[in-house]
Amino acid sequence: EIERLQDDFGYWLDTFPDGAFADSALYWKGMAALYQGDFATALACFDRVETDFPGSVYLTEVRFRRGVCHFGMGDHPEALALFTAWVAANPAHPLRPEGEAFLGDLAAMDARVDEAMAHYARVEPLGGSEQLIDHATFEGADLLVANRRWKELRAWLESYLQTHGSRQEAAEAGLQ
């Protein structure tokens, strides 16, 4: 299905490169590549939206997705710069919780424990999905365990269980 979408969007871009919805086709072609883990192709699409369509309604999302691509390609310094700038510029955007999770992951990779925990702690209050909350909670818990911060770990997990303990997904995530 995703390959077909990429072909369809490619056809529209080749046939109507200056069409009214070219930025949309390019954005969704990039998203299809991103879902496949083809970060280089996705990044090329997102870069083109930003440069070729400066008035696009997708610019905010494109700038976020560029960070995802760099993260996926292992270019963590660039991902950090992009996510940091994006979060600062878009404090109320629906992707903000995901941005905080990425910033938490990047801080954790560099052993910046307090910074990572602060980012992870923002995911839920900003309205992150249950899956994103689980990610932030258990990445944070792993980080606290690795740094032998037992009292903080207990408080961190108790807070999570008070709110999410009755969800089957939460229990399964806790077992992992």
Side-chain angles (χ1 to χ4, degrees):
E1 288 287 324
I2 292 178
E3 291 87 5
R4 196 179 102 224
L5 284 174
Q6 285 184 311
D7 291 343
D8 289 347
F9 290 132
Y11 165 79
W12 283 102
L13 289 166
D14 292 342
T15 306
F16 308 104
D18 298 320
F21 298 104
D23 65 328
S24 182
L26 197 52
Y27 174 77
W28 288 107
K29 182 178 179 183
M31 288 299 292
L34 186 62
Y35 286 126
Q36 286 185 305
D38 184 353
F39 301 111
T41 297
L43 182 60
C45 291
F46 298 143
D47 285 347
R48 260 193 68 202
V49 171
E50 191 163 21
T51 57
D52 295 355
F53 304 97
S56 174
V57 297
Y58 294 102
L59 281 183
T60 301
E61 286 78 10
V62 158
R63 290 175 178 145
F64 181 85
R65 302 296 179 198
R66 289 180 69 239
V68 175
C69 292
H70 283 281
F71 185 91
M73 292 187 298
D75 185 356
H76 298 148
E78 184 64 16
L80 178 61
L82 289 167
F83 284 126
T84 299
W86 190 91
V87 164
N90 300 283
H93 194 280
L95 287 172
R96 169 84 187 276
E98 190 175 348
E100 293 290 348
F102 273 112
L103 287 170
D105 292 346
L106 289 161
M109 287 179 203
D110 288 337
R112 297 187 318 271
V113 178
D114 292 332
E115 183 181 337
M117 296 305 294
H119 287 295
Y120 290 145
R122 290 185 193 113
V123 170
E124 185 169 4
L126 289 168
S129 67
E130 290 178 348
Q131 182 180 11
L132 200 56
I133 292 166
D134 290 349
H135 171 83
T137 298
F138 292 104
E139 289 297 319
D142 287 345
L143 191 57
L144 292 171
V145 167
N147 287 277
R148 306 179 57 82
R149 292 167 66 165
W150 308 120
K151 287 182 184 178
E152 290 171 76
L153 174 66
R154 181 182 179 123
W156 181 256
L157 291 176
E158 283 178 349
S159 174
Y160 172 81
L161 288 173
Q162 286 175 356
T163 307
H164 304 282
S166 63
R167 287 187 17 248
Q168 179 179 348
E169 295 85 0
E172 290 171 359
L175 293 173
Q176 293 177 0

